[in-house]
Amino acid sequence: MKKVKVYVTLRESVLDPQGSAVMGSLHKMGYGEVADVRIGKYLELVIEDSERDVDALVNELCHRLLANTVIEDYRYEIEEVVSQ
């Protein structure tokens, strides 16, 4: 079994109005040293062992559902789940 951590973020070329709103609020709260805020998504998937290649499967999941690849980038980490 594998645990996959998926990180989805807006591409650098895409404006992030939600991040800008959070940064504005942080500045108003006195945290002026915060230079930039980008909002993204974090997902954890647990994938059962199968004949399919995990990298290929995760890429397919990201392209088809988890990320809008027109405006978002994604990266992921795969960990082996140790059963006890």
Side-chain angles (χ1 to χ4, degrees), residues 8-42:
V8 181
T9 55
L10 287 173
R11 292 183 179 208
E12 287 296 322
S13 61
V14 176
L15 293 176
D16 185 356
Q18 189 176 13
S20 296
V22 169
M23 187 174 68
S25 295
L26 290 171
H27 286 182
K28 287 178 185 174
M29 294 172 68
Y31 300 105
E33 60 270 2
V34 176
D36 192 26
V37 177
R38 303 284 290 176
I39 303 292
K41 297 181 276 189
Y42 170 74

Side-chain angles (χ1 to χ4, degrees), residues 6-76:
V6 181
Y7 304 87
V8 181
T9 55
L10 287 173
R11 292 183 179 208
E12 287 296 322
S13 61
V14 176
L15 293 176
D16 185 356
Q18 189 176 13
S20 296
V22 169
M23 187 174 68
S25 295
L26 290 171
H27 286 182
K28 287 178 185 174
M29 294 172 68
Y31 300 105
E33 60 270 2
V34 176
D36 192 26
V37 177
R38 303 284 290 176
I39 303 292
K41 297 181 276 189
Y42 170 74
L43 303 97
E44 282 189 3
L45 310 172
V46 177
I47 299 178
E48 305 250 346
D49 292 329
S50 72
E51 298 296 318
R52 296 185 72 174
D53 177 63
V54 176
D55 279 307
L57 175 62
V58 173
N59 274 308
E60 183 178 328
L61 293 172
C62 288
H63 276 275
R64 295 190 70 195
L65 179 67
L66 302 179
N68 177 350
T69 56
V70 174
I71 62 169
E72 294 176 319
D73 291 322
Y74 66 89
R75 67 180 174 82
Y76 58 89

